[in-house]
Amino acid sequence: MNERSDTRPAEIVDTDPAGPAAAHWRDVYRTRPADQVSWFQTEPQPSLELVRAVFPEGPGGRAAIDVGGGASPLAAHLVRDGFGHVTVLDVSEQALRTARAAVQGEPGADAIRWLHADLLAWRPDRTFDLWHDRAVFHFLTDASDRAAYLDTLREALAPGGAVVLGTFGPEGPTHCSGLPVARHSPDELAAELGDAFTPVETRIQVHRTPAGASQSFAWLAARRR
């Protein structure tokens, strides 16, 4: 997406999520610039490296979903790499507006769907070949919420599809944005996904926040059998 065009990004699809999660993240993005939140990345690494690890032949026009994608620039990179459709789902409309504005005029912007929704209440209306999540799963400290998340993942992911999942690692923070988190090792993430998934690559990454703090992330890239 280096050349400018007149392509306009799609409008945000609003399912009007309610509840404490929606209110919390709405306030986070209203009170802090998107490039000052702790999870901000100028370039979405290692997400792209792990996506390329599960699609070494290239995405070939496949469909992807970035859950909790917020203001991340990942969607634009995925389109540029060859994904034919990318859905970005987030509970914060402000975060989606920031990301959508960033791709205004970029080739392929109309291949990105912006979905304002609560992931745990959302039901997929199509299947995807890639499920990407950086830093949503670790907010699910309740086992029933993790089970609901995994049910949605299995419903949304096509047979043979891939998952790239990143959470705080065992040495990572215990809280983020005022909320408790559940830390995971790559092996624990693989166990959560279960035997229907084959790990392709795992890693521990140290993320440097805009404020200069170091955060340990655990990553898993896996293929659905």
Side-chain angles (χ1 to χ4, degrees):
M1 288 191 173
N2 292 323
E3 297 179 0
R4 288 293 189 182
S5 78
D6 294 330
T7 302
R8 294 180 58 83
E11 296 298 325
I12 295 173
V13 178
D14 193 347
T15 68
D16 195 23
H24 176 85
W25 294 111
R26 181 174 60 244
D27 290 343
V28 166
Y29 278 100
R30 281 179 175 175
T31 57
R32 280 185 278 174
D35 62 356
Q36 293 302 308
V37 295
S38 63
W39 53 92
F40 173 76
Q41 294 175 300
T42 303
E43 293 294 327
Q45 304 290 358
S47 295
L48 289 171
E49 294 172 4
L50 292 173
V51 170
R52 291 162 186 162
V54 291
F55 293 106
E57 75 287 358
R62 292 180 175 91
I65 182 167
D66 184 15
V67 299
S72 167
L74 178 66
H77 284 273
L78 294 178
V79 172
R80 184 168 59 195
D81 274 7
F83 281 88
H85 169 88
V86 180
T87 290
V88 182
L89 183 152
D90 202 275
V91 75
S92 168
E93 185 177 12
Q94 180 58 47
L96 293 173
R97 290 190 181 282
T98 298
R100 180 180 179 275
V103 302
Q104 179 75 39
E106 297 283 357
D110 56 350
I112 305 173
R113 178 175 64 157
W114 310 95
L115 182 57
H116 181 214
D118 182 339
L119 177 61
L120 296 184
W122 172 68
R123 296 266 57 86
D125 59 1
R126 60 166 298 160
T127 58
F128 302 90
D129 303 290
L130 170 69
W131 175 286
H132 175 272
D133 168 9
R134 176 180 179 264
V136 173
F137 192 70
H138 64 211
F139 284 109
L140 306 181
T141 58
D142 187 275
S144 63
D145 286 342
R146 290 195 296 274
Y149 173 106
L150 292 168
D151 284 345
T152 301
L153 185 159
R154 295 184 193 102
E155 182 180 351
L157 193 65
V163 175
V164 172
L165 181 59
T167 71
F168 284 141
E171 305 301 322
T174 59
H175 289 73
C176 181
S177 294
L179 298 176
V181 301
R183 298 177 293 181
H184 303 274
S185 70
D187 287 345
E188 289 168 340
L189 293 177
E192 290 277 4
L193 288 179
D195 293 340
F197 290 82
T198 301
V200 174
E201 186 173 332
T202 63
R203 64 174 67 177
I204 296 291
Q205 172 224 3
V206 177
H207 166 65
R208 183 74 66 176
T209 74
S214 296
Q215 296 178 337
S216 173
F217 271 77
W219 286 92
L220 168 70
R223 176 76 68 175
R224 189 176 195 173
R225 294 175 181 168

